[in-house]
């Protein structure tokens, strides 16, 4: 039976710096009880040990990470001011352009592409002193929910989810403390839940997309991935990065009296695997114990039309926009995988009129959810991030990824939404809980995620490969 029990002693690891979270590492680096070089060495040892099995990295850049570590160590030794992330190794999904470092977007179309400038999101972390340790796998052009050939660190037979699965697997495998990914229809949240880590999809524009290879520009966002929700909050506080939203928490809020959490039962709790649903409800008890109230809610009347496959808002908009993005690349159609080529070409069937109708339906969807939130006085909406465990990989056919059903509503609404580890189902696979809310209240939403994460402390648990 699924339980909310704390991780067993056997599952808790604290052998070297690679096992520590960003929240733990930053003060150690600042007071020089740990050097950036020592941290990097431990991460490289973990990569050497784990990545041959997990295959999270497309390109490794240890020299760049070492140069950043040395700069940080020299500056700290000299008493010179350093950036908030000085010497911290970072992985980037291979859709973030990196000056002088190959950026493939998981496709043979860009197999030899070396950008002349870096993405704004990487520039933000680099300016804070972080070091690039490598680029991670993605579904080709981020157009899907797999991340081949990457395996899930919790069960090497299973998908890590996608399309930011390489970043999620690198973090879950403790090869880097933090990573960046992107999310169009769920590509941060799906792999985070599948791999047992935390993430945040901010609304569009919070983290700049300049220099990110696009899929669907009106849906794409960039976001952080880490083992601990408090690490996500710390990252969002790093200066000169995301558009300012005050109040990202440094500590979990203690009193949640008056906080109301909506449960969209028919839309997002049915049908869901019983084990997954039980684990998520137990995690929500953490909020209830501090005074929060759970409220069953309905969903907008046009839900079926908005979320329908092929004809719904997401597929209509992404197909139309992906076709425009790939117009200049499609001449090399023989280099695409058949699956992604078919998806790109499907946009030829979407007329401008149908696209405009989908955008109008999207605007109504956002308005309807704002009305539901106001009517029920909700602070967040909660449901399982995935409706079942990530699928098994089958070497005889193209890999299958988790479904988008749970994640699409909030991409379409452009709400803030996070995924936080909620526990484990009976096979020891991690389960993620989603909390969604209004963009203007993103920091408060993160605080609710921090409450759950700091109570359960699932970030102390490691996948079997790490034990």
């Amino acid at each position: 039976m699924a339980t909310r029990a704390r991780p067993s002693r056997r599952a808790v690891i604290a052998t070297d710096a690679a096992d520590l979270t960003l929240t733990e590492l930053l003060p150690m680096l600042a007071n020089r009880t740990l050097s950036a070089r020592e941290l990097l060495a431990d991460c490289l040892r973990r990569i050497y040990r784990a990545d041959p099995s997990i295959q999270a990295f497309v390109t490794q850049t240890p020299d760049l990470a070492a140069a950043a570590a040395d700069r940080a160590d020299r500056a700290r030794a000299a008493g010179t001011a350093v950036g908030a992330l000085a010497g911290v190794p970072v992985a980037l999904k291979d859709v973030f352009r990196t000056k002088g470092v190959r950026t493939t977007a998981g496709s043979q179309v860009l197999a030899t592409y070396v950008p002349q400038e870096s993405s704004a999101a990487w520039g933000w972390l680099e300016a804070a002193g972080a070091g690039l340790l490598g680029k991670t796998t993605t579904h080709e052009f981020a157009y899907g929910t797999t991340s081949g050939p990457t395996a899930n660190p919790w069960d090497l037979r299973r998908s890590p989810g996608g399309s930011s699965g390489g970043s999620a697997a690198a973090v879950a495998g403790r090869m880097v403390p933090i990573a960046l990914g992107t999310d169009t229809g769920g590509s941060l949240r799906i792999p985070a839940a599948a791999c047992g880590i935390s993430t945040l999809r901010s609304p569009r524009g919070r983290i700049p997309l300049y220099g990110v290879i696009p899929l669907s520009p009106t849906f794409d966002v960039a976001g952080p991935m880490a083992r601990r929700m408090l690490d996500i909050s710390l990252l969002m506080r790093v200066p000169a990065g995301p558009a300012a939203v005050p109040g990202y928490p440094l500590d979990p809020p203690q009193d949640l009296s008056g906080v109301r959490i909506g449960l969209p039962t028919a839309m997002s709790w049915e049908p869901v695997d019983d084990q997954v649903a039980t684990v998520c409800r137990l995690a929500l008890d953490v909020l209830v114990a501090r005074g929060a109230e759970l409220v069953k809610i309905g969903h907008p009347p046009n839900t079926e039309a908005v979320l329908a496959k092929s004809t719904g808002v997401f597929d209509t908009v992404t197909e139309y926009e992906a076709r425009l993005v790939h117009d200049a690349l499609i001449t090399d159609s023989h280099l695409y995988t058949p699956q992604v080529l078919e998806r790109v070409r499907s946009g030829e069937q979407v007329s401008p009129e149908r696209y405009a109708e989908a955008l109008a339906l999207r605007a109504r969807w956002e308005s309807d959810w704002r009305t539901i939130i106001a009517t029920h006085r909700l602070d967040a909406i909660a449901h399982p991030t995935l409706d079942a465990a990530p699928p098994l990989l089958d070497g005889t056919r193209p890999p299958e990824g988790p479904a988008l059903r749970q994640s699409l509503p909030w991409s379409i609404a452009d709400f803030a939404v996070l995924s936080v580890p909620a526990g484990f189902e009976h096979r020891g696979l991690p389960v993620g809980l989603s909390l969604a809310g209004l963009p203007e209240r993103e920091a408060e939403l993160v605080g609710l995620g921090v409450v759950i994460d700091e109570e359960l402390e699932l970030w102390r648990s490691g996948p079997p490969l790490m034990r």
Side-chain angles (χ1 to χ4, degrees), residues 20 87 151 232 261 282 362 379 390 418 453:
L20 301 177
I232 300 293
I261 312 294
L282 289 169
R362 180 183 187 183
D379 297 275
L418 59 82
D453 206 32

Side-chain angles (χ1 to χ4, degrees), residues 288-345:
V288 173
R290 298 199 185 188
E293 180 183 359
L294 304 183
V295 183
K296 288 186 178 182
I297 61 172
H299 50 75
N302 60 357
T303 294
E304 186 173 346
V306 170
L307 301 183
K309 289 185 178 180
S310 183
T311 60
V313 169
F314 182 76
D315 283 350
T316 299
V317 173
T318 54
E319 288 172 7
Y320 185 87
E321 294 182 351
R323 178 183 62 82
L324 296 179
V325 166
H326 286 267
D327 266 353
L329 299 173
I330 204 71
T331 52
D332 293 320
S333 60
H334 64 288
L335 297 176
Y336 284 76
T337 60
Q339 178 199 56
V340 170
L341 181 61
E342 180 182 356
R343 290 176 180 174
V344 169
R345 283 186 164 159

Side-chain angles (χ1 to χ4, degrees), residues 114 144 221:
V114 178
V221 302

Side-chain angles (χ1 to χ4, degrees), residues 417-451:
V417 55
L418 59 82
S419 182
V420 62
F424 301 94
E425 45 95 272
H426 67 288
R427 290 165 294 194
L429 298 173
V431 172
L433 173 72
S434 278
L435 295 172
L438 297 175
E440 56 269 30
R441 299 185 63 185
E442 180 180 291
E444 297 167 53
L445 190 75
V446 171
L448 296 177
V450 169
V451 169

Side-chain angles (χ1 to χ4, degrees), residues 137-139 144-148 150-153 158-169 186-195 225 386 390-391 393 400-403:
T137 60
T138 174
H139 200 119
T145 61
T146 66
S147 302
T150 306
N152 192 314
R158 293 183 182 271
S159 169
S163 61
S164 304
S167 288
S187 290
L188 284 166
R189 294 158 285 160
I190 288 170
C195 294
M225 309 183 89
L386 297 177
L393 299 170
E400 177 186 357

Side-chain angles (χ1 to χ4, degrees), residues 173-190:
R174 299 172 181 242
M175 293 181 268
V176 286
I178 55 174
L180 287 188
T182 60
D183 188 308
T184 303
S187 290
L188 284 166
R189 294 158 285 160
I190 288 170

